[in-house]
Amino acid sequence: MTDVTDTLQLTVQQPRPGLAIATVAGDVDARTADILRREASGIIQQGCPRLVLDLSQVGFCDSAGLSALIGLWHSAQAVGGALGLVNVPERLMRMLVLTGVDAVLPVHATAAEAVTTMTAGMPTSTGEHGSITHSVGDGSGEPTGVQRTAYDSAHNPSAELS
């Protein structure tokens, strides 16, 4: 039996302007799927229309999680962007294939492959542009607020975001 947790964490890196890689850690289920959708949509709306979700640290994903992924794909498409998935756990990959969602949501072997595919034709830039960590849930069974900390290119905390 899979232990379902109430904690969801997104660690976001922005290797290029307009593109972010978010590593999702935790379970994406009925309790956390809306949080993933809201936070990742916020990343898309705040200037990163190309979003790669690294799902290597997702222990469980149910139909609510699948719905959140489809919703994020729509959010990215609405602003001329794209959503790509990497390191998809086998169980979730089977769900994507069985539902036909794998035909819509690109699944890449690595984050580097996804970045290369998603940045074809984008202007080049050098340097890392920052990262944001989103933590949701405190283990008490009730989802809590989201903590966002922005980092500048030198990885120095620059501001607490609301």
Side-chain angles (χ1 to χ4, degrees):
M1 181 175 197
T2 303
D3 291 327
V4 179
T5 66
D6 295 320
T7 303
L8 180 70
Q9 183 176 356
L10 296 178
T11 305
V12 180
Q13 298 174 335
Q14 187 178 358
R16 297 182 66 170
L19 182 129
I21 302 171
T23 301
V24 182
D27 298 323
V28 185
D29 57 20
R31 295 185 62 89
T32 60
D34 285 337
I35 297 166
L36 173 62
R37 185 184 319 218
R38 181 181 65 240
E39 295 304 313
S41 289
I43 294 165
I44 291 167
Q45 297 300 321
Q46 293 173 9
C48 289
R50 290 174 177 82
L51 179 62
V52 176
L53 292 180
D54 180 340
L55 303 175
S56 61
Q57 297 179 38
V58 171
F60 176 79
C61 183
D62 65 8
S63 60
L66 181 61
S67 177
L69 294 175
I70 294 167
L72 290 171
W73 177 79
H74 283 290
S75 293
Q77 292 289 304
V79 295
L83 177 71
L85 307 178
V86 298
N87 298 317
V88 178
E90 183 179 334
R91 187 178 203 177
L92 176 54
M93 191 65 213
R94 283 194 313 259
M95 188 178 356
L96 293 173
V97 171
L98 286 172
T99 59
V101 174
D102 67 319
V104 176
L105 278 173
V107 177
H108 303 276
T110 66
E113 176 187 303
V115 167
T116 298
T117 300
M118 294 174 82
T119 58
M122 284 180 70
T124 58
S125 171
T126 59
E128 185 172 34
H129 296 279
S131 62
I132 302 172
T133 299
H134 301 244
S135 297
V136 181
D138 62 3
S140 67
E142 293 298 319
T144 60
V146 177
Q147 175 188 7
R148 301 179 187 180
T149 306
Y151 293 87
D152 64 19
S153 60
H155 297 287
N156 296 319
S158 59
E160 188 69 25
L161 304 174
S162 58

